[in-house]
Amino acid sequence: MKSYRKELWFDVPNRREFIHITPDVQECLEESGIREGLVLVNAMHITASVFINDNESGLHADYERWLEELAPHAPISRYRHNLTGEDNGDAHLKRQIMGREVVVAITDGQLDFGPWERIFYGEFDGRRRKRVLVKIIGE
Ligand code: ZN
């Protein structure tokens, strides 16, 4: 069995953003040389997500509005977590909803997606360097 590990780094200038990372994961898969197996892609921070859905800007705007309705950033005093001196109480909740990681099957050297599936990094507390782990196992 082969094993491959890589960290993808992001420095998002805004507090929140969705970034399409399927091409980065595909590049990792090519580097790994693995033809059959599994790829795990996970956010290494508790205020960011990795998720799979449609690469469609209207949907991403809907996510942004929906998440802000569920867990508004302001007023920051609404979150007990912010009593620590942080202002990212909302970001922890948004990350929980959108998830930590995805696992995708690798078949014949390709990401074995369903129709329209693409991988995204969801940033909810940006403006600093953060990373995503890509781990591939197989042969
Ligand atoms: Zn925090």
Side-chain angles (χ1 to χ4, degrees):
M1 191 193 76
K2 282 196 239 177
S3 172
Y4 171 96
R5 182 188 189 277
K6 190 172 187 179
E7 293 175 2
L8 306 175
W9 285 84
F10 300 91
D11 196 349
V12 176
N14 304 314
R15 185 179 290 276
R16 288 188 295 278
E17 199 166 314
F18 296 126
I19 299 173
H20 183 211
I21 60 169
T22 308
D24 305 86
V25 177
Q26 251 155 359
E27 203 176 300
C28 291
L29 180 55
E30 282 158 30
E31 270 176 30
S32 77
I34 291 171
R35 307 280 303 165
E36 296 290 329
L38 293 172
V39 55
L40 165 76
V41 187
N42 69 267
M44 297 182 83
H45 301 263
I46 52 180
T47 53
S49 289
V50 172
F51 64 95
I52 289 181
N53 217 298
D54 197 355
N55 188 17
E56 196 278 304
S57 60
L59 176 65
H60 296 181
D62 292 339
Y63 277 140
E64 166 65 17
R65 194 182 63 185
W66 178 64
L67 291 168
E68 200 55 24
E69 283 167 5
L70 287 171
H73 174 69
I76 60 170
S77 60
R78 67 183 274 142
Y79 299 103
R80 287 186 59 179
H81 177 66
N82 290 340
L83 295 174
T84 61
E86 291 189 88
D87 66 353
N88 64 5
D90 67 309
H92 289 275
L93 300 182
K94 287 165 173 145
R95 179 267 168 87
Q96 206 70 42
I97 293 163
M98 298 304 282
R100 171 183 182 264
E101 79 278 307
V102 301
V103 176
V104 180
I106 299 157
T107 304
D108 200 18
Q110 302 292 318
L111 296 168
D112 202 343
F113 284 132
W116 304 107
E117 285 192 324
R118 296 293 179 269
I119 308 170
F120 296 89
Y121 174 66
E123 178 60 80
F124 306 116
D125 186 28
R127 301 171 300 179
R128 57 199 167 104
R129 272 168 62 75
K130 290 163 82 169
R131 62 207 157 121
V132 163
L133 175 67
V134 179
K135 180 85 180 189
I136 309 175
I137 55 170
E139 50 189 32

